[in-house]
Amino acid sequence: MSLTLRTISREQHLAYIRSLPSASHMQVPAWADVKAEWGSENLGWFDANGELVGAGLVLYRQLPKVKRYLAYLPEGPVINWFAPNLEEWLRPMLAHLKAKGAFSVKMGPPVVIRRWDAAAVKSGIQNPDVKRLRDVEATHIEPRAFEVSDRLRRMGWQQGEDGGAGFGDVQPRYVFQVPLEGRTLDEVHKGFNQLWRRNIKKAEKAGVDVVQGGYDDLPAWQRLYEVTAERDRFRPRPLAYFERMWKALNAEDPNRMRLYFAMHEGEAVAAATMLIVGGHVWYSYGASANHKREVRPSNAMQWRMLQDAYALGASVYDLRGISDSLDDSDHLFGLIQFKVGTGGQAAEYLGEWDFPLNKLLHKALDIYMSRR
């Protein structure tokens, strides 16, 4: 199969994404507008009949003082990763990006290697000898994923640093997902652990009301998000980022991004953003107040978002990043504990991979990034 690669229009790119069951929200054309500080390009792979068979959103970040770029395809490109001729997909991409002045390419193959169901994760948490998710026997293994990583290594790709829970620009390697396909809502609810079911009931009894917000409600979201950032010790993104995200994503598709609030006695006590691409729905950012935690607004909000995802016909509700640490003294442990209560699955992706086109500049970037 001979493949050619060239720049495509945003319209072609979007039409291709729409023809698929789903793709990462970071591979839709509008994501380039969200990441306004990066340059961007839409790439298309064509087969011998001239048909578009793959697409990729490339983000370009210029190195300080030189006209050379880091080319980044977050959770992409959207190609057939299990193709036996994977080299023929990636080689023209590297040549193209090199011609564009890239000194290094970073990509995140959207390929899951292993999955652990909630029971397996729970047994790992309860076992004092187990400190990491990777030390727990997986419930499901994708053998083809190992072939993909072997092929990448043979081509000269290098596995990037682990992104932990994905709170920086590096995408999470471990995520938590609730599968919806082939299940009734009742089955999904029954899959929750006792604590979750109890908390959903508690919120209902306390009169917590979950509502959808719009663009004008983003400042209210931001206030809660900044409270959360201070509590959980991370650097919050500015309001302008979420405003840009809302405008860009919903201009591309009016149902791409949603905003939810859990209200109690007229006050917003928890909030979350949700992203939708085809059958994949993500809980993307979450926030909650320091008070009124006893009315369990976050559980109520997640349940409503899950129900809405189900109503949209989603095949998976994705709670995004978790740390792979099962150590209860780890400050991110609460996150995995909260998410595992949904009865979903932890999934490990192949992680991010780098191809240094210029080894010297790539090394310089590594040093620059490690000092930040």
Side-chain angles (χ1 to χ4, degrees), residues 103-322:
F103 66 88
S104 188
V105 180
K106 184 188 273 296
M107 66 177 182
V111 176
V112 171
I113 319 182
R114 286 180 267 260
R115 291 185 187 275
W116 295 264
D117 62 22
V121 179
K122 225 155 55 196
S123 71
I125 289 171
Q126 284 157 358
N127 182 344
D129 298 332
V130 171
K131 293 288 179 225
R132 304 217 154 261
L133 190 55
R134 64 187 76 163
D135 301 331
V136 178
E137 193 181 339
T139 328
H140 175 77
I141 287 178
E142 174 53 82
R144 295 181 305 170
F146 293 95
E147 287 174 35
V148 175
S149 62
D150 284 348
R151 284 196 183 114
L152 292 176
R153 269 195 198 93
R154 282 202 299 272
M155 286 174 68
W157 289 86
Q158 302 167 1
Q159 195 146 22
E161 289 301 302
D162 238 357
F167 293 118
D169 260 339
V170 180
Q171 301 319 317
R173 179 153 184 192
Y174 295 89
V175 300
F176 206 86
Q177 301 174 335
V178 181
L180 300 176
E181 209 167 0
R183 300 171 78 194
T184 64
L185 257 183
D186 202 37
E187 285 166 343
V188 174
H189 187 265
K190 280 199 180 94
F192 288 161
N193 70 11
Q194 240 176 327
L195 184 65
W196 260 81
R197 291 203 299 267
R198 229 185 6 249
N199 285 344
I200 290 168
K201 229 189 212 120
K202 210 181 247 179
E204 221 171 280
K205 261 207 180 106
V208 172
D209 189 26
V210 180
V211 298
Q212 255 182 269
Y215 179 80
D216 295 340
D217 300 302
L218 285 169
W221 144 264
Q222 190 70 17
R223 284 193 291 279
L224 276 175
Y225 170 63
E226 284 176 10
V227 166
T228 309
E230 197 173 320
R231 183 178 67 235
D232 293 346
R233 310 197 294 272
F234 65 86
R235 199 166 80 225
R237 291 190 182 276
L239 174 61
Y241 180 81
F242 294 102
E243 290 177 335
R244 194 164 66 231
M245 196 172 173
W246 183 277
K247 281 181 175 161
L249 295 179
N250 289 335
E252 178 175 275
D253 183 323
N255 204 20
R256 185 76 85 219
M257 179 177 177
R258 290 183 178 189
L259 179 61
Y260 286 84
F261 289 99
M263 310 292 294
H264 187 252
E265 295 168 340
E267 181 190 8
V269 283
T273 60
M274 181 160 119
L275 300 175
I276 301 149
V277 183
H280 203 126
V281 171
W282 293 264
Y283 151 57
S284 116
Y285 285 89
S288 60
N290 289 332
H291 61 296
K292 294 203 169 177
R293 302 182 79 116
E294 69 286 349
V295 299
R296 304 297 175 196
S298 295
N299 299 86
M301 185 172 62
Q302 288 295 342
W303 175 226
R304 163 73 193 273
M305 288 165 74
L306 248 164
Q307 289 171 292
D308 286 3
Y310 190 88
L312 286 166
S315 55
V316 62
Y317 180 72
D318 196 323
L319 290 128
R320 288 294 282 168
I322 52 173

Side-chain angles (χ1 to χ4, degrees), residues 286-359:
S288 60
N290 289 332
H291 61 296
K292 294 203 169 177
R293 302 182 79 116
E294 69 286 349
V295 299
R296 304 297 175 196
S298 295
N299 299 86
M301 185 172 62
Q302 288 295 342
W303 175 226
R304 163 73 193 273
M305 288 165 74
L306 248 164
Q307 289 171 292
D308 286 3
Y310 190 88
L312 286 166
S315 55
V316 62
Y317 180 72
D318 196 323
L319 290 128
R320 288 294 282 168
I322 52 173
S323 151
D324 96 314
S325 170
L326 300 181
D327 185 345
D328 59 9
S329 65
D330 189 299
H331 78 285
L332 291 171
F333 176 72
L335 202 61
I336 193 167
Q337 214 176 16
F338 178 75
K339 293 177 181 182
V340 85
T342 60
Q345 311 167 328
E348 179 191 1
Y349 279 87
L350 266 188
E352 298 201 314
W353 292 71
D354 296 307
F355 196 100
L357 293 164
N358 177 320
K359 292 200 167 53

Side-chain angles (χ1 to χ4, degrees), residues 10 26-27 29-42 57-63 68-74 97 102-107 168-171 237 241 244 352 354 365 368-369 372:
R10 286 177 68 139
M26 296 181 192
Q27 281 295 307
W31 194 251
D33 303 328
V34 179
K35 295 289 168 189
E37 70 280 16
W38 296 67
S40 68
E41 186 183 11
N42 307 79
L57 173 69
V58 187
L59 300 174
Y60 291 102
R61 170 66 65 87
Q62 192 174 346
L63 258 192
R68 302 301 292 277
Y69 305 87
L70 165 68
Y72 181 31
L73 295 99
L97 297 175
F103 66 88
S104 188
V105 180
K106 184 188 273 296
M107 66 177 182
D169 260 339
V170 180
Q171 301 319 317
R237 291 190 182 276
Y241 180 81
R244 194 164 66 231
E352 298 201 314
D354 296 307
L365 180 80
Y368 168 72
M369 293 306 279
R372 284 176 68 182

